[in-house]
Amino acid sequence: MKAIAVLPGKPNSVHLAELPKPKVSDVSDGKGVLVKVLKVGVDATDREINDALYGNAPPGYSFLVLGHESFGVVEEVGPAVTGLRPGDYVTATVRRPGGSIYDRIGTSDMTSEETYYERGINLLHGYLTEYFVDSADFIVRVPQGLKHLHVLMEPMSCAAKAVQQAYEIQRRMKVWQPKRAFVFGAGQIGLLSTLALKLRGLEVFTFARSKAPTRSSEIVSGLQANYVSLSDTSIEDFAKANGKADLIIDATGSSAMAFGGMKVLAHNGVLVWTSITGGNKMIEVPSDKINIDWVLGNKLLFGSVNANRGHFELGIQDLALGEAMFPGVLQQILTTPVDGLDNYRELMRLLVEEKSALKVYMNVAEG
Ligand code: BGC
Ligand code: ZN
């Protein structure tokens, strides 16, 4: 079967590779699930992998099959699988367990090991192919009624984790009642974080560079959040006029914005960094001012990456509730389809060049 692969370490090496079709029995304990791939999304991580900035091939291979945002249909299950049947729509988690205690309790997103195993990213083949097999432990059912949101399951899981972690951490406050949230960035993670925060009853301000109206600004309004263009105001001026935020999620891909969040966080607040910044950018920061402000305000910063099964399930619930509350809004994120694995060059071209695309994804098969 065909697969879209790169040669890690070699820039712009995207190509079509050939792999044998996997079998349910490839998973030895009877928990194998054979999934026919229907759609796969790509994001900045895939771009960085094709730029040879990131990613490694599985042991014994020179190439890495791309794709970590999966959506497919179950074709066959092993004898020990319960709760999944042929015909079910599914997605799959990305990271696979290493050896740390966190890996062993199903939270490999929190592994304490330096090496992490991620399908389509690091040391494991991804989903940009015709079929894949994995243990039922890593396959998550997608309700039939959310089929039209297909490749959003994985990015939503990352947004759901970031928000859930913030609330977990803020249990330090005993009675945390956040009112206002800022989201930096109106790409897929920014928009899905906006949703997750709105569903928790916050007043949400989502910041992005472009002047409204854009597709992003319309989605933000559709979610009954507030779109703020950074060409109209700076985050500091905005906070001076409107107040600081109890919770900030940065999803811009800009470390300068991530650090900028430190200046507009309210007392007892929490700032979450989710961007993966591959470069070597340096900025100057008012370190004394931030230091004293953060100490006197008991403020907190944490990073959030990846997502485990629980976050996928939580994210799917958020998408379902989001559809009920804001019908038709979320599918507007799915801007840019490409048909067929053979069109891998077009997929990567759109990912790099189509600046207005919120989500580039491949239609691998009908179903
Ligand atoms: C993926 C995450 C992954 C991270 C780091 C992101 O693009 O969505 O699942 O953990 O990259 O590799
Ligand atoms: Zn990703």
Side-chain angles (χ1 to χ4, degrees):
M1 61 178 193
K2 289 179 203 167
I4 300 180
V6 297
L7 303 171
K10 191 164 176 254
N12 203 14
S13 62
V14 65
H15 65 278
L16 224 44
E18 206 32 57
L19 279 178
K21 183 176 171 185
K23 297 187 296 290
V24 158
S25 57
D26 294 346
V27 175
S28 58
D29 61 1
K31 283 167 95 181
V33 178
L34 174 67
V35 178
K36 180 181 180 197
V37 177
L38 299 179
K39 293 170 195 294
V40 179
V42 287
D43 71 0
T45 301
D46 300 286
R47 194 172 62 218
E48 292 201 342
I49 296 172
N50 192 39
D51 285 345
L53 298 172
Y54 203 65
N56 289 291
Y61 288 87
S62 60
F63 63 88
L64 167 73
V65 175
L66 282 178
H68 60 275
E69 299 176 354
S70 63
F71 178 74
V73 60
V74 173
E75 213 165 79
E76 195 188 330
V77 297
V81 174
T82 53
L84 280 175
R85 279 186 284 177
D88 284 347
Y89 291 111
V90 290
T91 185
T93 64
V94 176
R95 200 173 279 190
R96 296 291 170 270
S100 82
I101 186 165
Y102 309 103
D103 295 284
R104 281 182 268 127
I105 62 163
T107 58
S108 56
D109 59 310
M110 296 301 241
T111 191
S112 54
E113 296 183 333
E114 288 296 324
T115 305
Y116 53 85
Y117 303 86
E118 289 183 344
R119 290 200 66 158
I121 300 176
N122 210 35
L123 302 167
L124 297 169
H125 285 319
Y127 306 119
L128 263 169
T129 180
E130 295 172 61
Y131 292 89
F132 68 87
V133 162
D134 217 325
S135 164
D137 291 349
F138 308 118
I139 307 290
V140 184
R141 225 180 124 175
V142 176
Q144 171 96 29
L146 289 184
K147 186 185 169 204
H148 61 296
L149 299 182
H150 45 82
V151 301
L152 290 184
M153 305 301 146
E154 196 276 342
M156 185 69 228
S157 73
C158 294
K161 172 180 174 177
V163 172
Q164 193 217 37
Q165 288 273 299
Y167 276 79
E168 281 284 306
I169 288 171
Q170 288 296 75
R171 294 212 292 206
R172 69 181 179 137
M173 298 307 304
K174 313 290 186 264
V175 286
W176 193 49
Q177 292 181 338
K179 302 248 161 358
R180 185 185 299 117
F182 292 169
V183 175
F184 295 165
Q188 58 169 357
I189 299 293
L191 293 171
L192 295 171
S193 300
T194 300
L195 168 69
L197 295 167
K198 277 302 294 183
L199 294 179
R200 292 201 181 226
L202 278 83
E203 183 185 25
V204 184
F205 296 89
T206 303
F207 294 75
R209 263 189 302 241
S210 308
K211 265 193 187 299
T214 62
R215 184 180 279 245
S216 286
S217 75
E218 270 156 24
I219 295 171
V220 169
S221 307
L223 297 174
Q224 292 171 20
N226 309 282
Y227 181 87
V228 184
S229 168
L230 292 168
S231 53
D232 297 332
T233 178
S234 70
I235 45 169
E236 280 167 281
D237 286 347
F238 183 86
K240 257 185 220 127
N242 301 280
K244 293 181 172 179
D246 304 305
L247 170 52
I248 302 177
I249 297 187
D250 171 67
T252 54
S254 155
S255 53
M257 278 298 288
F259 274 79
M262 292 183 149
K263 300 178 197 157
V264 291
L265 187 68
H267 279 209
N268 300 337
V270 58
L271 167 60
V272 193
W273 286 356
T274 70
S275 296
I276 306 208
T277 49
N280 281 305
K281 190 167 183 174
M282 312 266 258
I283 57 159
E284 271 188 25
V285 292
S287 50
D288 273 353
K289 288 237 153 34
I290 288 176
N291 192 335
I292 186 172
D293 182 50
W294 274 56
V295 170
L296 297 181
N298 289 297
K299 301 180 188 185
L300 197 136
L301 161 69
F302 75 93
S304 179
V305 71
N306 196 250
N308 65 43
R309 187 186 182 91
H311 305 122
F312 272 76
E313 288 167 353
L314 187 63
I316 287 170
Q317 286 175 24
D318 278 0
L319 289 173
L321 191 54
E323 273 296 89
M325 287 181 63
F326 315 109
V329 174
L330 295 164
Q331 68 211 54
Q332 294 173 45
I333 301 175
L334 296 161
T335 49
T336 316
V338 176
D339 290 340
L341 291 167
D342 289 329
N343 284 320
Y344 63 93
R345 281 195 193 286
E346 181 64 358
L347 182 78
M348 295 315 278
R349 188 191 70 75
L350 289 166
L351 180 62
V352 174
E353 290 174 20
E354 192 54 58
K355 298 291 177 223
S356 65
L358 280 172
K359 182 79 254 165
V360 179
Y361 64 95
M362 179 155 276
N363 289 319
V364 177
E366 291 295 318

